[in-house]
Amino acid sequence: EIFELKAELNSDKKEKKKEAVKKVIASMTVGKDVSALFPDVVNCMQTDNLELKKLVYLYLMNYAKSQPDMAIMAVNTFVKDCEDPNPLIRALAVRTMGCIRVDKITEYLCEPLRKCLKDEDPYVRKTAAVCVAKLHDINAQLVEDQGFLDTLKDLISDSNPMVVANAVAALSEIAESHPSSNLLDLNPQSINKLLTALNECTEWGQIFILDCLANYMPKDDREAQSICERVTPRLSHANSAVVLSAVKVLMKFMEMLSKDLDYYGTLLKKLAPPLVTLLSAEPELQYVALRNINLIVQKRPEILKHEMKVFFVKYNDPIYVKLEKLDIMIRLASQANIAQVLAELKEYATEVDVDFVRKAVRAIGRCAIKVEQSAERCVSTLLDLIQTKVNYVVQEAIVVIKDIFRKYPNKYESVIATLCENLDSLDEPEARAAMIWIVGEYAERIDNADELLESFLEGFHDESTQVQLQLLTAIVKLFLKKPTETQELVQQVLSLATQDSDNPDLRDRGYIYWRLLSTDPVAAKEVVLAEKPLISEETDLIEPTLLDELICYIGTLASVYHKPPSAFVEGSRGVVHKSLPPRTGSSESAESPDTAPSGVQAAEQPAVIPTQGDLLGDLLNLDLGPPVSGPPLATSSVQMGAVDLLGGGLDSLMGDESEGMGGGGTFAPAPSTAVPATLGAPLSSGLGDLFDLTGGVGTLSGSYVAPKTVWLPAMKAKGLEISGTFSRQVGSISMDLVLTNKALQVMSDFAIQFNRNSFGLAPAAPLQVHAPLAPNQSVEISLPLNTVGSVMKMDPLNNLQVAVKNNIDVFYFSTLYPLHILFVEDGKMERQMFLATWKDIANENEAQFQIKDCSLNADAVSSKLQGSNIFTIAKRNVEGQDMLYQSLKLTNGIWVLAELRIQPSNPSFTDLELSLKCRAPEVSQYVYQAYETILKN
């Protein structure tokens, strides 16, 4: 067959040639490989017959990619065709050149393209404009070097509207793939040209121009208004894409118009009819229109507030249109039209389509919440629906009645009895959860509340999470309201939720209730039975910043998905965040409303709760494990910590007076101190006096070791309790742990892992527990650490996140290590070096601290610090003050230089002043904490 075609292609008769090329194209279209005929087809290019030429070009586009070497043969003909007297042929040549995506050929196309961009015929120019965008896609650098982009910009002021539209389209396309380049630098003059072209170009040209206008930022409201006036006629266009693009431009520029302007009102009135007209199109277009209207109604409900009727559902609407219309009906519901809306919704609730009926029932509830006057009617409508006993109608009704109770407390509770009759028919998680909530919330009005809730408990583990969580809360509420009868029930649910469940949310909620009830039932009552805030009317509004971004994408896929393009466009193209222009002339303040409060917030933040998650966990654990010095101390310290976590409140705990805390109470370290509050006696047992500590490296340095504190309470780790501390002995760091088994089963197969941390701390050996750990047994382990792990800056800097595994599970905790375990033994700097470095470090890197109530003299301070590798380089006395100059070096090579001021002559003044200089200033705070810890113990 190929052979016959070859013969026909080379025949002398024009007609035969044409028929042959048609046959080739036909074979190509059905997927046969006719690339073997490439040279013969290319020979047919030299012809004046436009039809034949088109066919040959079609063939070329298809096969040039697979046969780039052959395609070069055709280049000459292209170049010749670009100078053909017939503009159609010139345009055809340029269009085909743009479609041949072969690098070798692109260089030859630059000259012909340049000529065509300046062609006298507008048809050729508009084709060439698009060709530039295609070429840019193949070889961006080439297009920029050849200056085609500037030519494109000139075409924006072309006399022919179609050329303008294509130039805009090409530039927008290029700008999208290069968001940083400012190709479309629009100014009032070029905007004027675009608006002039807008009236005369084809519908797609109009869409390109409108999309381009939407990216322009008018300089004031006058300019915005004049653009709006010139865009408004596009609203009556027959093509719905043009209408939506025009709506997008108007919605965007309306932001800049003051609401008091007459024009603003006129514009609102003009926007409604085109949107309504879109709803008479076929269902697929209706759906797109409705998704866009949904956004518009959320932004400016006033546009369509009188158009409720068009959103009523027709019997033959497809389900996707019905659901979307319902949504918009609720958004538009108001006191004026609520009677109409309710009558419609009640109709819908008896339809056959299950999804639609559910949504309609839910809609009745949303109306009740949105329009207070209608609540009474909505509730009676819902009760009528419950009487139908149709399973899914009943379930939806119960879900929405729960919300109505939240919105209007103490009004409609009389219906609870009716709801309880339907308890057994509920099989969906959401409805079951809603019913359980109602029973728990109004337990005092339901005589058999405990029986009802108990009936749910039997299959507790088969319920979905939301039902389990609701059941747990409801039973705790019931217990607080009727403590005598429900003691066993609450015990049962708490053990189901904590011991038998592996869902962390459920377990945590169970433990919190358990602790609340066991420590302070009065507080529990205040927390669990607190007044609930009323729910707001619109629960499913799109978040405002996202809504503003989506308004900028009206008429695109983003407006149908209700997601920004970055959420579904793959790759980097096209993901430029757009936002509406700032409001002007409205009653809202011109400043952004966020500026003031955020400042206040920042100042107040520390007083609330330290941001570190695990501290909060530890505070909740206070009633676990036997408190060493009687419970009052533990609880009072919590209150004190909660009131004043960062002020001086903890200093009294930190001082030496707190003998009570000397044992092992599980008080969480407050973030400002970074050392556990349970500091006991120092451990440098007299060895310091035997060895001359000034020897420096190699001596047994009596580095201060804090007493062990509980890091992981048994409650949190299925019975495994871990307490520990950190120490540094002769250059090696270790983590000294005590593992205690408080469970009823044997524990074995221990392993430990650290998360990445600021100084790369990592276990230098596996966690060796030689024999399995029997119940109630403890084992002490010293785990050697090194600092060659992977590094990631933590907040706070000395935070260490640890995972410990055993045969039961993996447990996580985090702890703060004192920085002095990282002070290395060769941290003594030469004097000259010290002076030079001190001068070299910028003054803004100097931090000042005070160490309160430290009554040691200079020598005692010096030797105490030397034990922890803080070396005194020089000491001098200035006006009765002792100045110590010290240096230390961290394991990662960072040097910290210190100046410590002591006033021995003045016994009443026991505060030391510390200045620290370091090239990494964020370390200073933690070095100061280490100083304070070492000197006070």
Side-chain angles (χ1 to χ4, degrees):
E1 189 190 5
I2 299 263
F3 190 71
E4 288 167 19
L5 284 173
K6 203 179 180 87
E8 285 178 28
L9 285 171
N10 293 326
S11 103
D12 303 335
K13 296 199 178 75
K14 274 192 178 164
E15 279 310 305
K16 240 183 171 176
K17 251 188 193 175
K18 196 154 119 188
E19 285 308 306
V21 174
K22 278 186 182 170
K23 283 182 196 164
V24 172
I25 298 289
S27 308
M28 179 177 93
T29 317
V30 294
K32 284 186 186 159
D33 181 19
V34 283
S35 54
L37 298 168
F38 201 92
D40 307 292
V41 179
V42 170
N43 283 340
C44 302
M45 260 171 90
Q46 280 97 356
T47 168
D48 307 333
N49 184 329
L50 190 61
E51 196 184 349
L52 182 55
K53 213 178 220 11
K54 277 186 178 169
L55 290 170
V56 174
Y57 276 172
L58 200 66
Y59 177 89
L60 257 179
M61 280 188 233
N62 202 22
Y63 283 118
K65 230 186 179 146
S66 55
Q67 309 240 356
D69 303 335
M70 304 281 258
I72 292 189
M73 297 172 10
V75 165
N76 287 334
T77 320
F78 280 133
V79 177
K80 213 161 80 201
D81 280 355
C82 284
E83 298 181 358
D84 195 276
N86 180 348
L88 290 175
I89 289 185
R90 298 202 294 272
L92 184 64
V94 169
R95 181 178 296 127
T96 313
M97 286 178 347
C99 292
I100 295 182
R101 301 179 62 85
V102 176
D103 281 342
K104 285 185 184 169
I105 297 186
T106 32
E107 295 124 45
Y108 298 107
L109 304 185
C110 294
E111 274 320 302
L113 183 57
R114 183 172 288 113
K115 284 184 186 145
C116 290
L117 280 167
K118 302 226 165 46
D119 199 282
E120 75 268 11
D121 192 288
Y123 181 71
V124 182
R125 292 200 299 276
K126 87 178 180 72
T127 313
V130 178
C131 188
V132 174
K134 289 180 174 169
L135 195 59
H136 188 274
D137 198 33
I138 306 169
N139 189 341
Q141 201 49 51
L142 181 73
V143 172
E144 285 158 27
D145 297 346
Q146 293 282 343
F148 287 149
L149 294 181
D150 300 327
T151 321
L152 264 189
K153 287 182 192 168
D154 298 342
L155 287 183
I156 287 189
S157 27
D158 197 277
S159 54
N160 181 296
M162 270 320 296
V163 178
V164 177
N166 278 12
V168 167
L171 282 171
S172 308
E173 175 84 10
I174 294 172
E176 236 175 41
S177 55
H178 290 65
S180 52
S181 62
N182 187 13
L183 289 176
L184 281 161
D185 42 353
L186 300 171
N187 51 33
Q189 290 73 35
S190 57
I191 288 291
N192 198 12
K193 287 171 188 154
L194 291 183
L195 286 164
T196 314
L198 186 61
N199 299 323
E200 297 167 24
C201 56
T202 64
E203 44 197 33
W204 291 109
Q206 294 183 22
I207 293 168
F208 285 131
I209 291 179
L210 287 167
D211 286 352
C212 177
L213 285 173
N215 293 331
Y216 173 62
M217 187 65 84
K219 58 179 188 302
D220 54 14
D221 51 350
R222 296 248 319 272
E223 188 183 358
Q225 182 175 338
S226 78
I227 294 177
C228 286
E229 283 165 356
R230 294 178 67 178
V231 168
T232 315
R234 296 296 119 226
L235 290 173
S236 51
H237 199 286
N239 182 332
S240 43
V242 176
V243 176
L244 280 178
S245 294
V247 169
K248 167 167 63 183
V249 175
L250 297 173
M251 284 292 289
K252 207 165 166 183
F253 291 169
M254 272 169 87
E255 286 291 308
M256 299 185 66
L257 302 177
S258 151
K259 288 191 172 170
D260 326 329
L261 279 176
D262 298 343
Y263 180 68
Y264 181 83
T266 325
L267 197 51
L268 282 181
K269 286 198 191 81
K270 281 186 179 166
L271 274 169
L275 292 173
V276 171
T277 313
L278 290 176
L279 294 183
S280 52
E282 53 267 42
E284 294 79 6
L285 283 181
Q286 275 188 54
Y287 177 70
V288 173
L290 286 165
R291 292 293 279 177
N292 279 287
I293 289 171
N294 200 330
L295 294 174
I296 293 166
V297 167
Q298 287 185 52
K299 185 74 187 156
R300 300 193 182 280
E302 61 271 29
I303 294 178
L304 288 161
K305 64 175 178 216
H306 301 305
E307 301 290 347
M308 179 59 96
K309 280 237 169 75
V310 291
F311 298 109
F312 285 173
V313 172
K314 300 193 183 81
Y315 74 96
N316 58 352
D317 279 337
I319 180 71
Y320 54 89
V321 171
K322 285 181 174 173
L323 295 177
E324 212 48 49
K325 280 185 171 175
L326 253 185
D327 217 22
I328 295 170
M329 277 168 67
I330 317 282
R331 295 204 195 287
L332 292 175
S334 64
Q335 219 173 316
N337 55 25
I338 193 75
Q340 258 185 322
V341 174
L342 272 180
E344 276 288 311
L345 291 174
K346 195 167 179 184
E347 239 358 75
Y348 300 163
T350 55
E351 287 267 340
V352 285
D353 194 317
V354 178
D355 283 335
F356 181 52
V357 173
R358 284 169 174 268
K359 187 122 182 189
V361 176
R362 202 159 276 214
I364 296 174
R366 279 174 57 190
C367 286
I369 289 169
K370 190 169 178 187
V371 185
E372 190 164 345
Q373 292 72 14
S374 73
E376 190 97 17
R377 292 179 58 177
C378 292
V379 172
S380 64
T381 310
L382 287 168
L383 285 176
D384 295 348
L385 291 171
I386 289 180
Q387 296 311 334
T388 62
K389 295 282 187 244
V390 180
N391 191 328
Y392 54 87
V393 177
V394 174
Q395 310 217 38
E396 286 297 331
I398 286 179
V399 171
V400 293
I401 287 177
K402 176 199 75 173
D403 288 340
I404 294 175
F405 286 166
R406 287 283 311 267
K407 177 78 174 170
Y408 311 110
N410 306 326
K411 262 193 177 163
Y412 303 110
E413 278 76 3
S414 52
V415 307
I416 290 178
T418 322
L419 301 183
C420 291
E421 291 163 18
N422 294 288
L423 245 176
D424 305 333
S425 64
L426 306 179
D427 51 14
E428 287 165 19
E430 200 175 358
R432 289 175 77 95
M435 193 63 228
I436 291 169
W437 182 86
I438 292 171
V439 174
E441 189 63 20
Y442 301 104
E444 67 278 9
R445 302 175 190 224
I446 306 174
D447 307 332
N448 59 342
D450 46 346
E451 290 166 27
L452 294 177
L453 290 176
E454 202 163 353
S455 67
F456 283 103
L457 260 191
E458 286 144 21
F460 186 75
H461 287 305
D462 307 331
E463 299 284 4
S464 73
T465 312
Q466 74 183 106
V467 178
Q468 292 177 331
L469 286 166
Q470 278 302 347
L471 197 50
L472 173 60
T473 304
I475 290 178
V476 171
K477 284 180 186 169
L478 176 67
F479 171 67
L480 290 167
K481 289 174 181 175
K482 309 181 177 176
T484 45
E485 307 106 87
T486 54
Q487 186 86 38
E488 280 178 16
L489 191 59
V490 82
Q491 278 294 319
Q492 193 184 347
V493 76
L494 285 174
S495 69
L496 278 172
T498 52
Q499 283 150 12
D500 309 345
S501 160
D502 50 7
N503 177 332
D505 296 339
L506 187 62
R507 257 197 336 239
D508 288 356
R509 189 182 288 195
Y511 279 133
I512 284 186
Y513 283 148
W514 201 321
R515 282 175 208 151
L516 264 173
L517 294 171
S518 56
T519 40
D520 191 349
V522 182
K525 210 162 190 162
E526 282 173 14
V527 172
V528 181
L529 302 179
E531 276 290 294
K532 295 181 186 45
L534 298 184
I535 58 176
S536 69
E537 43 179 7
E538 293 284 8
T539 42
D540 58 347
L541 286 175
I542 294 176
E543 189 255 333
T545 47
L546 174 59
L547 180 61
D548 286 355
E549 185 175 352
L550 290 176
I551 292 284
C552 303
Y553 286 112
I554 286 179
T556 65
L557 255 185
S559 68
V560 179
Y561 286 150
H562 288 188
K563 288 178 180 167
S566 50
F568 59 86
V569 177
E570 289 192 357
S572 57
R573 290 186 57 138
V575 184
V576 187
H577 281 293
K578 301 187 179 181
S579 58
L580 291 177
R583 298 275 309 132
T584 52
S586 68
S587 53
E588 298 156 44
S589 74
E591 293 167 36
S592 117
D594 306 338
T595 46
S598 63
V600 180
Q601 194 85 33
E604 292 172 358
Q605 205 165 1
V608 194
I609 279 178
T611 48
Q612 217 189 316
D614 51 24
L615 291 181
L616 185 58
D618 285 339
L619 285 172
L620 292 171
N621 277 330
L622 279 171
D623 57 324
L624 303 174
V628 176
S629 48
L633 190 97
T635 48
S636 67
S637 57
V638 165
Q639 278 139 16
M640 197 186 85
V643 181
D644 185 8
L645 276 173
L646 294 172
L650 280 172
D651 288 346
S652 59
L653 280 178
M654 298 292 305
D656 293 330
E657 311 90 46
S658 58
E659 312 86 34
M661 290 294 278
T666 57
F667 189 78
S672 65
T673 54
V675 277
T678 52
L679 302 176
L683 298 180
S684 53
S685 52
L687 281 174
D689 314 331
L690 295 174
F691 290 86
D692 173 18
L693 274 178
T694 49
V697 193
T699 57
L700 254 179
S701 52
S703 175
Y704 165 69
V705 181
K708 296 188 176 70
T709 50
V710 176
W711 285 341
L712 181 68
M715 274 299 265
K716 274 191 172 176
K718 302 187 181 173
L720 171 65
E721 182 181 279
I722 300 181
S723 47
T725 183
F726 294 91
S727 62
R728 181 182 185 95
Q729 245 86 37
V730 205
S732 58
I733 308 171
S734 57
M735 186 186 212
D736 303 325
L737 300 168
V738 176
L739 308 180
T740 308
N741 180 356
K742 295 193 174 177
L744 299 174
Q745 67 192 92
V746 174
M747 294 182 180
S748 58
D749 308 333
F750 286 91
I752 191 164
Q753 204 170 358
F754 292 0
N755 195 358
R756 297 192 290 175
N757 53 74
S758 311
F759 293 93
L761 278 176
L767 185 61
Q768 301 266 332
V769 180
H770 293 300
L773 197 56
N776 291 326
Q777 198 185 350
S778 292
V779 60
E780 292 199 18
I781 300 162
S782 183
L783 177 73
L785 307 183
N786 58 31
T787 50
V788 294
S790 48
V791 175
M792 176 173 80
K793 187 171 175 187
M794 301 294 284
D795 180 33
L797 207 59
N798 56 343
N799 191 4
L800 178 65
Q801 296 174 340
V802 184
V804 172
K805 175 185 98 61
N806 62 12
N807 56 337
I808 298 172
D809 204 346
V810 180
F811 308 106
Y812 303 93
F813 64 90
S814 65
T815 177
L816 302 173
Y817 50 89
L819 211 63
H820 64 259
I821 61 166
L822 303 173
F823 297 172
V824 296
E825 280 66 20
D826 58 347
K828 188 164 186 174
M829 210 182 240
E830 296 290 280
R831 278 185 171 199
Q832 299 318 111
M833 187 72 183
F834 183 93
L835 280 170
T837 313
W838 186 274
K839 284 181 186 155
D840 191 36
I841 297 177
N843 282 341
E844 55 263 29
N845 282 12
E846 183 169 352
Q848 309 280 351
F849 302 96
Q850 271 198 333
I851 301 173
K852 296 230 185 317
D853 308 327
C854 176
S855 47
L856 299 171
N857 64 15
D859 294 339
V861 166
S862 189
S863 71
K864 222 172 187 186
L865 292 172
Q866 177 124 5
S868 293
N869 294 337
I870 301 176
F871 299 97
T872 304
I873 291 163
K875 170 184 162 191
R876 57 179 233 240
N877 192 296
V878 184
E879 300 169 6
Q881 293 187 354
D882 283 336
M883 311 277 267
L884 296 180
Y885 295 97
Q886 299 174 318
S887 71
L888 61 98
K889 182 171 147 192
L890 296 170
T891 48
N892 58 1
I894 293 178
W895 284 91
V896 182
L897 310 186
E899 175 188 79
L900 190 61
R901 215 175 265 207
I902 307 167
Q903 304 195 338
S905 50
N906 183 351
S908 64
F909 195 79
T910 55
D911 295 359
L912 313 188
E913 286 175 28
L914 176 67
S915 297
L916 296 176
K917 262 193 169 188
C918 176
R919 293 193 202 280
E922 57 269 32
V923 178
S924 301
Q925 169 71 29
Y926 302 94
V927 172
Y928 153 66
Q929 290 165 7
Y931 261 86
E932 192 167 54
T933 310
I934 296 163
L935 289 176
K936 293 201 176 173
N937 294 285

